[in-house]
Amino acid sequence: MEKQESLVFTVTRRSPELITPAKPTPHEYKLLSDIDDQEGLRFQIPIIQFYRMSNNLLKMDPVKVIRDALSETLVFYYPLAGRLREGAGRKLGVECTGEGVMFVEADANVTLDQFGDALQPPFPCFQELLFDVPGSTGVLDCPLLHIQVTRLKCGGFIFASRNNHTMCDAAGLVQFLTALGEIARGASAPSILPVWQRELLTARDPPRITCTHHQFNDVANIDIPLDDIVHRSFFFGPTEICALRQLVPPQLGKYSSFELLTACLWRCCIRSLKLDPEEEVRICCLVNARGRFNPPLLPVGYYGNAFVNPAAVTTAGKLCQNPIGYALKLVQKAKEDVTEEYIKSLADLMVLKGRPHYSTAARIYVVLDLRHAGFGEVDFGWGRPAYGGPDRGEVMVSSYISAKNKKGENGILVPVYLPSFAMESFVVELDSMLKNNDHLVIDDTLLHIRSTL
């Protein structure tokens, strides 16, 4: 079978169109929250989902089904059919104009099987599966959602989307896509109705920063050659997680697989970069804030951004020379710092400091746990996707994706992107942690060297 990274195919697209709500919707101006409109969220997130042919739906066209359902779904999620505007103090709001979301119909001369036995990012020809329509990639005065549905030769299809991050986080986007799937399957309304109420995460009056937010502190960058970035995907199943647990002494108490794996990968990444021992390094874990309020603050159906990205700080020397329990405790501490007060303090920081961008220096390792986001559960009538999640990663940024290995075991797939010199060292470090466990899947078929990020 043709290897995924060498797969080349042609996509034929029809002219892009704007899909508007099926019924008249309110023309109003809605402010975003002070968590929504921080500088670090002013970009568009691409997601891709692969669907297999369904024998029960041979005569159904996924493009028509999804296009029609999209128009109906926008009646409930009408702010997504509007446009973002920026007001005083860089405050963002959405003008609910009903102009619509971008939609592209396409066909590809490729089958799903040609993508390989294991669907794993990065995917070939992604720029053809989510075509960059001129004028659609901005933040202000642009469509807030861009969808391309590409039919495949085998009868399956690919649903690729890109949404303006300021409007919703992963949980909010999945809520919308789930609603779209429900209506595509015949429902007259979503099972969970959307709730705006962005004022719930608006800064206090007067705003006051009461917590430490390391992720916004500047840190010197590392000179990384971006023309020599290597990608490999690593699978961590029961065997691998068990091997990593052997590194942690019992007296450290309870910890999750996420915390353990993050600590191990962080140390492997920093060791592989060969930093000076005194260099400051950070771990940044994205934490869902929805369950951090007591009593609960955000209602069911809230689809705005409700996550924070706390960071723990240490030096390269301390991280690399201490036992893994040291890194594990730092990861746990970063997550434990997320309290109701922390979230309010973050919203206040945005107002007081002009909505700054979090630091993106290469010595900061960022982890996104997408295993429970729900991208792999969205059903438009063809069942669950064969893959649902991000299309690619970035240097020192890892997304945790639910996956199965060839034995059918459930586990965590982690795409890793590093300079080639660092990737070689990373593999050695990780292999050493696993004590040369030969069950570790290092997918060399996904080795991918890119000229640009």
Side-chain angles (χ1 to χ4, degrees):
M1 183 172 291
E2 188 175 20
K3 291 184 179 181
Q4 178 174 305
E5 79 275 8
S6 61
L7 179 63
V8 177
F9 52 87
T10 301
V11 176
T12 304
R13 291 176 298 276
R14 294 195 178 182
S15 298
E17 56 184 315
L18 289 174
I19 305 299
T20 59
K23 300 175 183 178
T25 54
H27 189 159
E28 55 190 356
Y29 191 80
K30 290 178 171 289
L31 290 175
L32 273 64
S33 80
D34 289 312
I35 299 295
D36 288 324
D37 63 5
Q38 52 188 293
E39 181 65 32
L41 299 185
R42 298 187 183 203
F43 69 99
Q44 298 192 17
I45 309 175
I47 294 293
I48 189 167
Q49 291 154 292
F50 292 78
Y51 290 87
R52 299 191 183 281
M53 177 191 71
S54 172
N55 290 327
N56 297 326
L57 298 172
L58 291 178
K59 296 182 180 180
M60 299 292 288
D61 178 9
V63 171
K64 176 174 172 47
V65 169
I66 293 173
R67 181 197 283 118
D68 291 347
L70 181 58
S71 184
E72 296 289 341
T73 307
L74 288 174
V75 173
F76 300 93
Y77 285 86
Y78 65 88
L80 290 176
R83 299 292 183 266
L84 279 185
R85 316 293 189 210
E86 187 176 62
R90 303 186 67 233
K91 183 66 189 169
L92 291 182
V94 58
E95 185 178 357
C96 301
T97 60
E99 292 176 67
V101 302
M102 186 72 70
F103 185 87
V104 176
E105 173 183 351
D107 293 275
N109 64 341
V110 66
T111 67
L112 189 56
D113 286 344
Q114 286 179 269
F115 282 88
D117 295 328
L119 287 167
Q120 299 174 350
F123 297 101
C125 302
F126 180 78
Q127 69 279 5
E128 298 298 320
L129 297 171
L130 187 61
F131 183 67
D132 188 4
V133 177
S136 69
T137 58
V139 174
L140 302 176
D141 305 320
C142 288
L144 299 174
L145 182 63
H146 180 180
I147 293 172
Q148 179 172 323
V149 180
T150 304
R151 305 180 194 91
L152 303 176
K153 285 172 57 180
C154 58
F157 65 95
I158 297 172
F159 182 100
S161 62
R162 193 176 63 207
N163 80 287
N164 190 309
H165 202 338
T166 63
M167 290 294 290
C168 53
D169 57 14
L173 177 58
V174 168
Q175 180 182 308
F176 169 78
L177 293 177
T178 299
L180 177 60
E182 290 173 339
I183 291 177
R185 300 197 312 273
S188 58
S191 59
I192 298 176
L193 294 175
V195 175
W196 184 260
Q197 292 188 22
R198 305 297 171 102
E199 68 277 3
L200 294 175
L201 292 179
T202 295
R204 295 171 288 197
D205 186 16
R208 51 195 183 277
I209 302 172
T210 54
C211 299
T212 301
H213 302 279
H214 292 295
Q215 65 270 36
F216 295 100
N217 297 335
D218 290 334
V219 59
N221 211 340
I222 308 169
D223 185 17
I224 286 183
L226 298 182
D227 59 346
D228 189 22
I229 300 301
V230 176
H231 160 259
R232 291 193 185 186
S233 286
F234 299 86
F235 179 85
F236 296 88
T239 301
E240 292 74 47
I241 296 297
C242 181
L244 295 178
R245 287 190 186 280
Q246 304 308 309
L247 303 174
V248 182
Q251 58 267 30
L252 284 187
K254 295 182 179 180
Y255 53 88
S256 67
S257 296
F258 168 84
E259 292 163 349
L260 172 64
L261 184 55
T262 299
C264 293
L265 293 178
W266 180 28
R267 194 170 74 167
C268 287
C269 280
I270 297 303
R271 280 184 168 180
S272 72
L273 292 173
K274 312 296 185 186
L275 301 178
D276 183 280
E278 298 305 314
E279 294 274 14
E280 180 185 297
V281 296
R282 301 178 194 167
I283 180 68
C284 196
C285 305
L286 271 64
V287 176
N288 190 335
R290 286 170 172 80
R292 302 289 171 137
F293 292 93
N294 187 18
L297 176 68
L298 303 178
V300 174
Y302 185 88
Y303 63 103
N305 287 281
F307 75 94
V308 292
N309 54 342
V313 180
T314 186
T315 64
K318 290 179 180 179
L319 178 66
C320 297
Q321 294 164 16
N322 275 297
I324 195 61
Y326 175 81
L328 178 58
K329 286 297 184 184
L330 285 174
V331 172
Q332 290 180 316
K333 177 66 165 55
K335 291 177 60 183
E336 290 167 359
D337 282 345
V338 179
T339 61
E340 181 171 345
E341 182 62 28
Y342 182 95
I343 299 162
K344 292 177 178 178
S345 173
L346 178 61
D348 294 350
L349 180 149
M350 290 300 138
V351 172
L352 291 173
K353 296 197 174 182
R355 312 184 193 284
H357 199 298
Y358 53 84
S359 180
T360 57
R363 66 191 66 206
I364 302 172
Y365 184 50
V366 180
V367 174
L368 301 80
D369 189 357
L370 297 178
R371 291 174 297 162
H372 310 295
F375 291 111
E377 308 294 322
V378 176
D379 181 1
F380 299 113
W382 282 258
R384 295 177 179 179
Y387 171 88
D391 75 295
R392 63 187 63 242
E394 301 176 36
V395 176
M396 293 295 284
V397 178
S398 290
S399 297
Y400 293 2
I401 306 166
S402 292
K404 292 180 182 290
N405 62 11
K406 294 180 180 179
K407 298 179 182 179
E409 295 175 323
N410 291 316
I412 305 171
L413 180 71
V414 184
V416 175
Y417 294 76
L418 288 170
S420 59
F421 78 89
M423 182 61 79
E424 294 177 9
S425 177
F426 177 89
V427 172
V428 172
E429 293 288 347
L430 185 56
D431 188 58
S432 176
M433 274 192 176
L434 290 158
K435 300 179 179 177
N436 298 313
N437 189 313
D438 60 5
H439 292 288
L440 173 67
V441 177
I442 302 176
D443 195 338
D444 289 312
T445 67
L446 291 181
L447 185 63
H448 185 66
I449 301 178
R450 300 183 293 162
S451 58
T452 58
L453 282 176

